[in-house]
Amino acid sequence: MTEMFQRVDGRAFDEMRPVRITRGFTSNPAGSVLVEFGQTRVMCTATVEEGVPRFKKDSGEGWLTAEYAMLPSATHERMPRESMKGKVKGRTHEISRLVGRSLRAAVDLTQLGENTIQLDCDVLQADGGTRTASITGAYVALADAIAVLKERGVVPGEPLLAPVAAVSAGIVDGHVCLDLPYVEDSRAEVDLNVVMQEGGNFVEIQGTGEHGLFGRDELAAMLDVAEKGCAELIAAQKAALGL
Amino acid sequence: MTEMFQRVDGRAFDEMRPVRITRGFTSNPAGSVLVEFGQTRVMCTATVEEGVPRFKKDSGEGWLTAEYAMLPSATHERMPRESMKGKVKGRTHEISRLVGRSLRAAVDLTQLGENTIQLDCDVLQADGGTRTASITGAYVALADAIAVLKERGVVPGEPLLAPVAAVSAGIVDGHVCLDLPYVEDSRAEVDLNVVMQEGGNFVEIQGTGEHGLFGRDELAAMLDVAEKGCAELIAAQKAALGL
Amino acid sequence: MTEMFQRVDGRAFDEMRPVRITRGFTSNPAGSVLVEFGQTRVMCTATVEEGVPRFKKDSGEGWLTAEYAMLPSATHERMPRESMKGKVKGRTHEISRLVGRSLRAAVDLTQLGENTIQLDCDVLQADGGTRTASITGAYVALADAIAVLKERGVVPGEPLLAPVAAVSAGIVDGHVCLDLPYVEDSRAEVDLNVVMQEGGNFVEIQGTGEHGLFGRDELAAMLDVAEKGCAELIAAQKAALGL
Amino acid sequence: MTEMFQRVDGRAFDEMRPVRITRGFTSNPAGSVLVEFGQTRVMCTATVEEGVPRFKKDSGEGWLTAEYAMLPSATHERMPRESMKGKVKGRTHEISRLVGRSLRAAVDLTQLGENTIQLDCDVLQADGGTRTASITGAYVALADAIAVLKERGVVPGEPLLAPVAAVSAGIVDGHVCLDLPYVEDSRAEVDLNVVMQEGGNFVEIQGTGEHGLFGRDELAAMLDVAEKGCAELIAAQKAALGL
Amino acid sequence: MTEMFQRVDGRAFDEMRPVRITRGFTSNPAGSVLVEFGQTRVMCTATVEEGVPRFKKDSGEGWLTAEYAMLPSATHERMPRESMKGKVKGRTHEISRLVGRSLRAAVDLTQLGENTIQLDCDVLQADGGTRTASITGAYVALADAIAVLKERGVVPGEPLLAPVAAVSAGIVDGHVCLDLPYVEDSRAEVDLNVVMQEGGNFVEIQGTGEHGLFGRDELAAMLDVAEKGCAELIAAQKAALGL
Amino acid sequence: MTEMFQRVDGRAFDEMRPVRITRGFTSNPAGSVLVEFGQTRVMCTATVEEGVPRFKKDSGEGWLTAEYAMLPSATHERMPRESMKGKVKGRTHEISRLVGRSLRAAVDLTQLGENTIQLDCDVLQADGGTRTASITGAYVALADAIAVLKERGVVPGEPLLAPVAAVSAGIVDGHVCLDLPYVEDSRAEVDLNVVMQEGGNFVEIQGTGEHGLFGRDELAAMLDVAEKGCAELIAAQKAALGL
């Protein structure tokens, strides 16, 4: 890595974009958060519904599920609205499932009672990293929703576990970079999304080499910067929650 | 109308909720506006696409179309996401069509060239009047998008016509009220949505008596307050646009 | 308005097309009516189903809902069949909802028991005014279906309220006209649909200026002819029902 | 077969229900026919569209296709509307395909030019035999549509072939019967639909033993009455067409 | 019929392609059979589910239903996957219904208890006769599934009836042929599918003259070869089942 | 890891299930392979279509896409057929996308001409590892399809790159295991899918901790066994291809 390589926005290779987490962004859901990673802005909400899906009936446990979507005008080129096409894209399904799996690591379903938490991550503005911003913001919305449940006295125990956050890393022109904006992401050789829990363990990692392969060394280098990023995000989550 | 009747939020019968119009709410679309009528918040964007639908091909004219949608967490009770159900509700279709018709009154398609303006009105938070806020905000987004087109030199003439705004009126417990929030709207005997253009003429009126009928006198009284509301909204639109 | 303006079919400005209401058009539904406004022909049926939708369960009240559709060969140019496209058009949804709202004004749901009345308005031949003919015919089918229910002794009270009818008015070449056929409707500056109940009050009004705006005076003039039309339609409904 | 067996409506075993064929039932399609087999009533229309589907492009030949559907209120128990369910039932597909295949036997596609004839068979009232009535009525609508094409001078040759008609036969309580109404059809041991062309040859036969098997003798007996029925239907078609 | 006519694969006119029936083709379903008619290969499985559809609830009887589908790569030209298009083709529906009706003739639902047998016929390789191979193979899978049910002691009686098999016949270049492969099928004047039960009676016959008509004599000749084919298939089924 | 832990099928921790790759499994597609990882059996086919999707038009390059699906009877409990539900599950989309990305690493699209290779991976029998078996088998089908293209002389260069294979690893009861069958997979704490190219670099890694987190050490241990597995699979691919 030579000194000549410059990131688009002048950041250091292992530097996050400015992160902002705004609680109480809207008032109807139990938890509502606007999360911003630079120009990427996602509205993350957590709604509580009594009861659980059929496969959890009479288990005494709760459930958590998530839906991710892009507003049609979030991207540079407007994208057709999925509801009007009558079809949800594979990418949307894939990210919704990732968000759900990741946040289920942040909640003890046995302590939730037979309640369902529905997370919605709606991207208002997209500039790379929408899935990682979604996971990071959703944790804060989840924490607020669980606080509401506890206040109402409907959850027996303490369902909220340690914070979960996510960040992307990648290899751009041969350089490992943290938190890729769209212009870097679209030409990255390798793209890695990392979901971590406070304490330094992984909830999920997904590394893809669309325009190149990667070896164990490069994986290690990307994990290094991702760990740094997740630690900073978890600090931001805790600050937002006043912890 | 006795002195005893009080509106939920203490407003006068012919008083609008606080209206805020924020331009440049997001950066990707040519026009992007956050419009707020009290607690109702709608993101209105205008995107320009080259070309026109088939029925306008080779007409030398442009086209304008609109899509309205609610985020699932916008309402007090979360609503299922239409994309996931694979079906768009009748109400959504109905309002999308209303917004499209209303804003086509604000644009001279013959001056647009063979370009299409796509309006998207996504409700972030719903508290009554989402369709009227959508129309009002969409005009401002439309104006910004047309300014971009003119700057780029792709429109031959002046496609933007005089401002169009919309407001609801209704009869609640026998009293004519302007700009109903959800709690009033849900128990109103009569509900009237009025779309007007600067100058005082109607683009569209829709009056419905779900829980009661209404006569010519009541219609006149509702139109009176609606005219006042629309005039104020048009003033707010012009102020936002610096006109 | 000069003497030179002539309507396509030689009618006076405030004259309805010939109206025919045929009861017992088919034999399976509890109520089955063929309604004709000139060349527009709609089959309106009312079917009674035990039970109510979930949101009405255990309310002790009934429900009424409506579906409107065009046969593919009803129009001059054949339209694709909605079932084959797997999508119901916004216009279809919008009219179905209008018919349902309008006819709910003609029935006292508290007197219906937990039964559902399903109205179906299927357009056999379209020549303008299909939605207003649908509403007008559906009232007669509804009356027949309620008579069947009463005969069977399954409704406790008297659910049928005063007749509801609907008509269109519009401004064509600057002239107010009643009951527009397709050729007038397609070039009208303003189009107004009015649903009234016997007694002269409005159930719903929808006025749209696709090719022009309209002021209070024009609205009043259109409402005048619409009131005349609705009164005649209600007389026709009562004659058909032998009242 | 004993003398004791009586058909529901007193007909002889090999007797058709009263058949009525009304041309010009509606005015927009090129051909529009109401066909009645007793209480079964189907509106059959033929519309001509320029051009052919992709698999026939540049073949110099035309195409013919058909869609069959039931109005929701056509049956004794109302059936959900397929467009609202977003799914076409297997039975509907199956009959649409049968009608299309049958009528393609009645047209010489090489003489049609690159035009498409679209047949629509919409059942207004169902009492058994809706598919056979559809085929029988569709031929007359097809003949009228082809006459329109020839008048316009757009078809080079004579596309219309000899009449095609269809009828059902079945075995009810061990007795062979012709043209089954719903009450017989629903308890028939065997059900046979026969499509024939003038001259006595088969276009299609479909025999099903839902509640029983059948042998060669029973097949022969059913084909005998079906041949008689088809001959009578073809006479009725020719009479309706003034041939 | 002259001596000059030769079948594509040198078979006699009334000769079946080589038939292979492999039981236990996969291990998860209660019955799993690979059936081969020459190059046509279909995987037929029978799965048992507790309970019955709504229209059979509390009848004390069971139900049997079937689904037929082609893998996208089964045909010479790949066909789009129906799940991806969100639409099932009419042909697929039609064959699924045929398989279900045919196999219901092979089971006494009153002896099945309130259980549902689901048959799946998935075509791995298509070379004509996929529907007849499906029916023939499904009987063997059904027999194996019922044996499992009996072993488990959940069926009170003996639900399995005599074998049902199916074969196609047709007229190719004026010659009656048995068991048509794709190259013959696609140019046959007449195509007849015959479903028979052991003992020589018909469950279903479907004869279609897409490129020609057929008379009683030709029908008889096709039924003759089909009877021979079905007898051989039933012998193969019994051999496979060790009966 | 104690000596007490035994894998369900007695394998060593880093031992693959028996792998079988059968070329020419069906005859219509250009490449057709049956791949087996123990009881998991997937039919992988590669079909070549002329032309490319719109986003690749006039690029001079080819395209490769993939669809993965389970036959309804592939799993222990039968799963509803996606085509009949009209919806493709998120899991199906996710795996289809993974297979497509993985195999695009094995082909040089610039050497393919404007042709599209469609891979279909249809699971006949599922016992864990269906996505990794799909990728592994698809490479062999791809190689066969490209050989056909080259024989036909339609590809200018050499599009086939080094072999790509995939395998799962996981942590079961605290033990790292290679190539998990369903019973291990369903109770694994961590599940890792690894796609590698010959030479030892990663194409994609996806690690998920549904029932537990994982650290860098555990990731390394899983990658170690996965590398061993992939090397063996690549040897099997090359043996199957006679390389």
Side-chain angles (χ1 to χ4, degrees), chain B residues 12-124:
Chain B
F13 296 136
D14 60 354
E15 190 182 345
M16 291 291 300
R17 289 178 284 180
V19 171
R20 266 179 305 270
I21 296 174
T22 307
R23 288 165 67 200
F25 182 61
T26 59
S27 54
N28 285 325
S32 174
V33 164
L34 180 72
V35 62
E36 299 171 79
F37 284 18
Q39 290 302 308
T40 287
R41 272 192 261 169
V42 187
M43 174 170 155
C44 304
T45 62
T47 312
V48 182
E49 288 163 14
E50 266 182 63
V52 283
R54 207 175 311 173
F55 68 92
K56 277 285 187 181
K57 277 264 163 68
D58 302 319
S59 67
E61 299 193 1
W63 186 241
L64 179 151
T65 183
E67 287 175 10
Y68 162 100
M70 285 240 194
L71 293 198
S73 60
T75 43
H76 195 259
E77 302 277 309
R78 182 182 183 275
M79 292 188 321
R81 199 176 283 269
E82 291 183 327
S83 60
M84 294 303 286
K85 301 195 72 172
K87 268 199 190 179
V88 174
K89 290 197 298 182
R91 180 186 178 277
T92 299
H93 270 307
E94 195 173 304
I95 300 179
S96 292
R97 286 161 53 85
L98 171 64
V99 176
R101 279 195 310 271
S102 298
L103 273 298
R104 278 194 291 274
V107 67
D108 182 346
L109 298 176
T110 66
Q111 301 295 306
L112 197 55
E114 290 208 0
N115 297 293
T116 295
I117 295 180
Q118 170 76 43
L119 302 174
D120 286 288
C121 298
D122 285 278
V123 180
L124 304 187

Side-chain angles (χ1 to χ4, degrees), chain E residues 115-138:
Chain E
N115 298 293
T116 295
I117 293 179
Q118 170 76 45
L119 302 174
D120 287 289
C121 299
D122 287 276
V123 179
L124 303 187
Q125 187 166 284
D127 185 28
T130 61
R131 76 188 72 190
T132 53
S134 293
I135 291 167
T136 304

Side-chain angles (χ1 to χ4, degrees), chain C residues 36-238:
Chain C
E36 299 169 82
F37 282 19
Q39 290 301 311
T40 287
R41 272 191 261 168
V42 187
M43 174 171 155
C44 303
T45 62
T47 312
V48 182
E49 287 164 15
E50 267 183 62
V52 284
R54 208 175 311 171
F55 68 93
K56 277 287 187 178
K57 277 264 162 68
D58 302 318
S59 67
E61 298 192 0
W63 186 241
L64 179 150
T65 184
E67 286 175 9
Y68 162 99
M70 284 239 194
L71 293 198
S73 60
T75 43
H76 195 259
E77 300 280 306
R78 182 182 184 275
M79 294 188 320
R81 201 175 283 269
E82 292 183 326
S83 60
M84 293 304 286
K85 301 195 72 172
K87 268 202 190 175
V88 174
K89 291 197 297 184
R91 180 186 177 276
T92 300
H93 269 308
E94 195 174 304
I95 300 180
S96 292
R97 286 162 52 86
L98 171 64
V99 176
R101 281 196 309 270
S102 298
L103 273 296
R104 280 195 289 275
V107 66
D108 182 347
L109 297 175
T110 66
Q111 302 295 305
L112 197 57
E114 291 207 359
N115 297 293
T116 295
I117 293 179
Q118 170 76 44
L119 301 173
D120 287 288
C121 299
D122 286 278
V123 180
L124 304 187
Q125 187 166 283
D127 185 28
T130 61
R131 77 188 73 190
T132 54
S134 292
I135 291 167
T136 303
Y139 178 80
V140 180
L142 172 65
D144 279 339
I146 287 178
V148 167
L149 280 177
K150 292 183 68 173
E151 228 165 76
R152 286 195 218 144
V154 296
V155 290
E158 172 50 87
L160 188 68
L161 302 181
V164 164
V167 79
S168 72
I171 301 180
V172 183
D173 297 340
H175 297 79
V176 168
C177 295
L178 177 65
D179 187 26
L180 281 56
Y182 177 73
V183 286
E184 289 181 356
D185 188 48
S186 57
R187 69 173 219 267
E189 293 99 66
V190 181
D191 178 42
L192 179 75
N193 289 292
V194 176
V195 188
M196 300 191 81
Q197 193 152 34
E198 191 182 23
N201 280 323
F202 300 117
V203 176
E204 179 127 0
I205 60 173
Q206 293 196 350
T208 303
E210 270 265 17
H211 310 114
L213 305 175
F214 57 105
R216 297 277 288 250
D217 285 356
E218 285 154 316
L219 176 60
M222 289 189 286
L223 290 174
D224 287 342
V225 298
E227 281 181 18
K228 175 173 178 295
C230 283
E232 292 173 17
L233 288 167
I234 289 168
Q237 290 172 321
K238 294 174 80 169

Side-chain angles (χ1 to χ4, degrees), chain D residues 19-21 136 140 230-242:
Chain D
V19 171
R20 267 181 303 273
I21 296 175
T136 304
V140 180
C230 283
E232 292 173 17
L233 289 167
I234 288 168
Q237 289 171 324
K238 294 174 80 169
L241 288 166

